[in-house]
mmCIF file with all atom_site columns, all heavy atoms in Angstrom:
data_model
loop_
_atom_site.group_PDB
_atom_site.id
_atom_site.type_symbol
_atom_site.label_atom_id
_atom_site.label_alt_id
_atom_site.label_comp_id
_atom_site.label_asym_id
_atom_site.label_entity_id
_atom_site.label_seq_id
_atom_site.pdbx_PDB_ins_code
_atom_site.Cartn_x
_atom_site.Cartn_y
_atom_site.Cartn_z
_atom_site.occupancy
_atom_site.B_iso_or_equiv
_atom_site.pdbx_formal_charge
_atom_site.auth_seq_id
_atom_site.auth_comp_id
_atom_site.auth_asym_id
_atom_site.auth_atom_id
_atom_site.pdbx_PDB_model_num
ATOM 1  N N   . GLU B 1 138 ? -26.341 -4.905  -14.159 1.00 96.00 ? 162 GLU B N   1
ATOM 2  C CA  . GLU B 1 138 ? -26.290 -3.790  -13.203 1.00 96.00 ? 162 GLU B CA  1
ATOM 3  C C   . GLU B 1 138 ? -25.210 -4.026  -12.155 1.00 96.00 ? 162 GLU B C   1
ATOM 4  O O   . GLU B 1 138 ? -24.420 -3.131  -11.839 1.00 96.00 ? 162 GLU B O   1
ATOM 5  C CB  . GLU B 1 138 ? -27.623 -3.697  -12.443 1.00 96.00 ? 162 GLU B CB  1
ATOM 6  C CG  . GLU B 1 138 ? -28.735 -2.977  -13.137 1.00 96.00 ? 162 GLU B CG  1
ATOM 7  C CD  . GLU B 1 138 ? -29.982 -3.025  -12.258 1.00 96.00 ? 162 GLU B CD  1
ATOM 8  O OE1 . GLU B 1 138 ? -30.540 -4.128  -12.072 1.00 96.00 ? 162 GLU B OE1 1
ATOM 9  O OE2 . GLU B 1 138 ? -30.364 -1.966  -11.735 1.00 96.00 ? 162 GLU B OE2 1
ATOM 10 N N   . ALA B 1 139 ? -25.207 -5.266  -11.625 1.00 97.00 ? 163 ALA B N   1
ATOM 11 C CA  . ALA B 1 139 ? -24.249 -5.599  -10.566 1.00 97.00 ? 163 ALA B CA  1
ATOM 12 C C   . ALA B 1 139 ? -22.821 -5.425  -11.076 1.00 97.00 ? 163 ALA B C   1
ATOM 13 O O   . ALA B 1 139 ? -21.964 -4.895  -10.369 1.00 97.00 ? 163 ALA B O   1
ATOM 14 C CB  . ALA B 1 139 ? -24.477 -7.032  -10.076 1.00 97.00 ? 163 ALA B CB  1
ATOM 15 N N   . GLU B 1 140 ? -22.583 -5.849  -12.314 1.00 97.00 ? 164 GLU B N   1
ATOM 16 C CA  . GLU B 1 140 ? -21.220 -5.744  -12.833 1.00 97.00 ? 164 GLU B CA  1
ATOM 17 C C   . GLU B 1 140 ? -20.817 -4.290  -13.034 1.00 97.00 ? 164 GLU B C   1
ATOM 18 O O   . GLU B 1 140 ? -19.671 -3.911  -12.770 1.00 97.00 ? 164 GLU B O   1
ATOM 19 C CB  . GLU B 1 140 ? -21.073 -6.553  -14.127 1.00 97.00 ? 164 GLU B CB  1
ATOM 20 C CG  . GLU B 1 140 ? -21.022 -8.035  -13.789 1.00 97.00 ? 164 GLU B CG  1
ATOM 21 C CD  . GLU B 1 140 ? -20.638 -8.927  -14.955 1.00 97.00 ? 164 GLU B CD  1
ATOM 22 O OE1 . GLU B 1 140 ? -20.453 -8.391  -16.068 1.00 97.00 ? 164 GLU B OE1 1
ATOM 23 O OE2 . GLU B 1 140 ? -20.527 -10.138 -14.719 1.00 97.00 ? 164 GLU B OE2 1
ATOM 24 N N   . ALA B 1 141 ? -21.755 -3.468  -13.480 1.00 97.00 ? 165 ALA B N   1
ATOM 25 C CA  . ALA B 1 141 ? -21.441 -2.048  -13.645 1.00 97.00 ? 165 ALA B CA  1
ATOM 26 C C   . ALA B 1 141 ? -21.111 -1.418  -12.287 1.00 97.00 ? 165 ALA B C   1
ATOM 27 O O   . ALA B 1 141 ? -20.101 -0.707  -12.151 1.00 97.00 ? 165 ALA B O   1
ATOM 28 C CB  . ALA B 1 141 ? -22.621 -1.330  -14.299 1.00 97.00 ? 165 ALA B CB  1
ATOM 29 N N   . LEU B 1 142 ? -21.947 -1.714  -11.269 1.00 97.00 ? 166 LEU B N   1
ATOM 30 C CA  . LEU B 1 142 ? -21.699 -1.173  -9.931  1.00 97.00 ? 166 LEU B CA  1
ATOM 31 C C   . LEU B 1 142 ? -20.405 -1.741  -9.355  1.00 97.00 ? 166 LEU B C   1
ATOM 32 O O   . LEU B 1 142 ? -19.640 -1.023  -8.693  1.00 97.00 ? 166 LEU B O   1
ATOM 33 C CB  . LEU B 1 142 ? -22.873 -1.503  -9.006  1.00 97.00 ? 166 LEU B CB  1
ATOM 34 C CG  . LEU B 1 142 ? -24.178 -0.768  -9.317  1.00 97.00 ? 166 LEU B CG  1
ATOM 35 C CD1 . LEU B 1 142 ? -25.330 -1.366  -8.520  1.00 97.00 ? 166 LEU B CD1 1
ATOM 36 C CD2 . LEU B 1 142 ? -24.029 0.721   -8.990  1.00 97.00 ? 166 LEU B CD2 1
ATOM 37 N N   . GLY B 1 143 ? -20.175 -3.025  -9.610  1.00 97.00 ? 167 GLY B N   1
ATOM 38 C CA  . GLY B 1 143 ? -18.974 -3.675  -9.101  1.00 97.00 ? 167 GLY B CA  1
ATOM 39 C C   . GLY B 1 143 ? -17.712 -3.063  -9.690  1.00 97.00 ? 167 GLY B C   1
ATOM 40 O O   . GLY B 1 143 ? -16.735 -2.803  -8.985  1.00 97.00 ? 167 GLY B O   1
ATOM 41 N N   . ARG B 1 144 ? -17.749 -2.810  -11.008 1.00 97.00 ? 168 ARG B N   1
ATOM 42 C CA  . ARG B 1 144 ? -16.587 -2.191  -11.649 1.00 97.00 ? 168 ARG B CA  1
ATOM 43 C C   . ARG B 1 144 ? -16.355 -0.782  -11.118 1.00 97.00 ? 168 ARG B C   1
ATOM 44 O O   . ARG B 1 144 ? -15.212 -0.359  -10.902 1.00 97.00 ? 168 ARG B O   1
ATOM 45 C CB  . ARG B 1 144 ? -16.772 -2.149  -13.168 1.00 97.00 ? 168 ARG B CB  1
ATOM 46 C CG  . ARG B 1 144 ? -16.515 -3.494  -13.806 1.00 97.00 ? 168 ARG B CG  1
ATOM 47 C CD  . ARG B 1 144 ? -16.630 -3.450  -15.320 1.00 97.00 ? 168 ARG B CD  1
ATOM 48 N NE  . ARG B 1 144 ? -16.787 -4.798  -15.861 1.00 97.00 ? 168 ARG B NE  1
ATOM 49 C CZ  . ARG B 1 144 ? -15.790 -5.664  -15.970 1.00 97.00 ? 168 ARG B CZ  1
ATOM 50 N NH1 . ARG B 1 144 ? -14.558 -5.308  -15.633 1.00 97.00 ? 168 ARG B NH1 1
ATOM 51 N NH2 . ARG B 1 144 ? -15.999 -6.882  -16.419 1.00 97.00 ? 168 ARG B NH2 1
ATOM 52 N N   . ALA B 1 145 ? -17.456 -0.055  -10.874 1.00 97.00 ? 169 ALA B N   1
ATOM 53 C CA  . ALA B 1 145 ? -17.322 1.293   -10.319 1.00 97.00 ? 169 ALA B CA  1
ATOM 54 C C   . ALA B 1 145 ? -16.675 1.239   -8.931  1.00 97.00 ? 169 ALA B C   1
ATOM 55 O O   . ALA B 1 145 ? -15.816 2.060   -8.599  1.00 97.00 ? 169 ALA B O   1
ATOM 56 C CB  . ALA B 1 145 ? -18.692 1.960   -10.248 1.00 97.00 ? 169 ALA B CB  1
ATOM 57 N N   . ALA B 1 146 ? -17.073 0.238   -8.135  1.00 97.00 ? 170 ALA B N   1
ATOM 58 C CA  . ALA B 1 146 ? -16.508 0.105   -6.789  1.00 97.00 ? 170 ALA B CA  1
ATOM 59 C C   . ALA B 1 146 ? -15.020 -0.240  -6.866  1.00 97.00 ? 170 ALA B C   1
ATOM 60 O O   . ALA B 1 146 ? -14.205 0.303   -6.113  1.00 97.00 ? 170 ALA B O   1
ATOM 61 C CB  . ALA B 1 146 ? -17.269 -0.954  -5.993  1.00 97.00 ? 170 ALA B CB  1
ATOM 62 N N   . LEU B 1 147 ? -14.669 -1.140  -7.792  1.00 97.00 ? 171 LEU B N   1
ATOM 63 C CA  . LEU B 1 147 ? -13.249 -1.491  -7.953  1.00 97.00 ? 171 LEU B CA  1
ATOM 64 C C   . LEU B 1 147 ? -12.454 -0.279  -8.426  1.00 97.00 ? 171 LEU B C   1
ATOM 65 O O   . LEU B 1 147 ? -11.306 -0.083  -8.030  1.00 97.00 ? 171 LEU B O   1
ATOM 66 C CB  . LEU B 1 147 ? -13.096 -2.656  -8.933  1.00 97.00 ? 171 LEU B CB  1
ATOM 67 C CG  . LEU B 1 147 ? -13.507 -4.030  -8.392  1.00 97.00 ? 171 LEU B CG  1
ATOM 68 C CD1 . LEU B 1 147 ? -13.499 -5.072  -9.500  1.00 97.00 ? 171 LEU B CD1 1
ATOM 69 C CD2 . LEU B 1 147 ? -12.582 -4.455  -7.257  1.00 97.00 ? 171 LEU B CD2 1
ATOM 70 N N   . GLU B 1 148 ? -13.078 0.522   -9.273  1.00 96.00 ? 172 GLU B N   1
ATOM 71 C CA  . GLU B 1 148 ? -12.456 1.759   -9.748  1.00 96.00 ? 172 GLU B CA  1
ATOM 72 C C   . GLU B 1 148 ? -12.135 2.683   -8.572  1.00 96.00 ? 172 GLU B C   1
ATOM 73 O O   . GLU B 1 148 ? -11.049 3.262   -8.478  1.00 96.00 ? 172 GLU B O   1
ATOM 74 C CB  . GLU B 1 148 ? -13.435 2.452   -10.715 1.00 96.00 ? 172 GLU B CB  1
ATOM 75 C CG  . GLU B 1 148 ? -12.966 3.781   -11.263 1.00 96.00 ? 172 GLU B CG  1
ATOM 76 C CD  . GLU B 1 148 ? -12.202 3.598   -12.559 1.00 96.00 ? 172 GLU B CD  1
ATOM 77 O OE1 . GLU B 1 148 ? -12.806 3.033   -13.500 1.00 96.00 ? 172 GLU B OE1 1
ATOM 78 O OE2 . GLU B 1 148 ? -11.023 3.993   -12.612 1.00 96.00 ? 172 GLU B OE2 1
#
Side-chain angles (χ1 to χ4, degrees):
Chain B
E162 278 178 292
E164 285 190 357
L166 291 169
R168 282 183 197 284
L171 286 172
E172 178 91 58

